[in-house]
Amino acid sequence: MTVNPLRILLGTLVIGLCGLVQAQSYAELLSKANGLPEGKPRAKKFIELSRFERQNGNLREAVQFAVLGSSEAESNGLTSEMCQAFMALAEAQKAKGDLDNAIGASIRATMVVGNLHSKERIDALLQLAGLYIDAGHPQKGLEHLEEARTSTAASQMDMPTYYRTEIRAKSMILPSAALVTYCQGVKPQVTAANDRSLMLDLLSTLATAQA
């Protein structure tokens, strides 16, 4: 097989240019964010950029923007934005496959708002529950789901996410007969949630338990 030196050179140049464009893009985004007023506008922009970079597969940048968002929020006493920044950091770490650091960031998100019964804390608890399940600790996940369910802000909870997470946890710890009973018992609530993908998750879990 003949190796074409020109092709190798062109490939190297393309890779180098891609890295340069990505670096320039990050620098430009950072510059624009820093051009915003300090406090909430800048913190929100950093969080937005973290999510944007994660969705585009730029995970290092996603982590960096989330850290900048948390720092900006902390410096200006912005509890809600600080919680959101740590949640964004957890999602970026999860996308990298780093569940330990993802869980750590999510725990910080729940601690930022302390014992406040707010929607932010409910969202953080749901995220943390899902991360523990991803890490193979369904019982811990269920504990955080219960904390969210019994909060005075439970009425603001994303119920499809709650049930989807609970179904995953239950399927990991319950024997088949108990899982069937659980699925049949929760079906009315899942139906009321009016989420087709959630119902499919439930029916799939039920079918597996009955097999």
Side-chain angles (χ1 to χ4, degrees):
M1 180 179 178
T2 303
V3 177
N4 188 330
L6 181 59
R7 179 173 295 179
I8 294 174
L9 177 60
L10 287 173
T12 303
L13 288 173
V14 168
I15 293 172
L17 286 172
C18 287
L20 179 60
V21 168
Q22 185 173 342
Q24 289 176 336
S25 176
Y26 172 78
E28 290 169 1
L29 291 173
L30 178 60
S31 177
K32 289 179 180 178
N34 281 328
L36 294 173
E38 292 184 5
K40 184 174 290 190
R42 192 180 296 177
K44 283 185 171 295
K45 189 62 177 178
F46 282 139
I47 295 166
E48 175 189 319
L49 288 173
S50 175
R51 292 168 177 160
F52 172 79
E53 294 287 20
R54 174 174 56 82
Q55 290 167 359
N56 283 280
N58 302 322
L59 303 182
R60 183 180 64 179
E61 289 78 7
V63 168
Q64 291 172 340
F65 278 127
V67 170
L68 287 170
S70 66
S71 179
E72 184 71 21
E74 184 176 14
S75 297
N76 291 276
L78 303 171
T79 302
S80 177
E81 285 71 23
M82 195 172 171
C83 178
Q84 292 171 36
F86 281 128
M87 290 182 66
L89 178 58
E91 289 298 329
Q93 296 286 16
K94 176 184 174 181
K96 289 177 62 180
D98 188 349
L99 286 177
D100 286 342
N101 278 323
I103 288 172
S106 192
I107 288 174
R108 293 186 72 181
T110 67
M111 294 174 65
V112 166
V113 285
N115 293 320
L116 295 178
H117 295 275
S118 63
K119 186 180 187 306
E120 287 84 1
R121 190 159 196 272
I122 292 291
D123 291 342
L125 285 169
L126 291 182
Q127 180 193 62
L128 182 57
L131 289 170
Y132 270 124
I133 294 166
D134 291 336
H137 304 293
Q139 192 58 52
K140 283 189 175 181
L142 288 171
E143 290 171 7
H144 290 297
L145 287 178
E146 179 64 12
E147 187 177 353
R149 188 186 68 80
T150 56
S151 166
T152 56
S155 61
Q156 304 177 62
M157 185 159 55
D158 181 344
M159 295 312 297
T161 297
Y162 173 86
Y163 285 118
R164 185 174 288 109
T165 307
E166 184 180 63
I167 289 167
R168 286 177 58 211
K170 295 287 188 180
S171 69
M172 293 171 70
I173 62 175
L174 292 179
S176 295
L179 186 56
V180 169
T181 300
Y182 162 76
C183 289
Q184 292 172 338
V186 81
K187 190 173 181 180
Q189 292 93 322
V190 170
T191 301
N194 195 28
D195 185 301
R196 185 172 181 273
S197 66
L198 172 61
M199 179 58 75
L200 290 175
D201 286 344
L202 178 67
L203 294 177
S204 175
T205 300
L206 179 60
T208 300
Q210 291 175 326

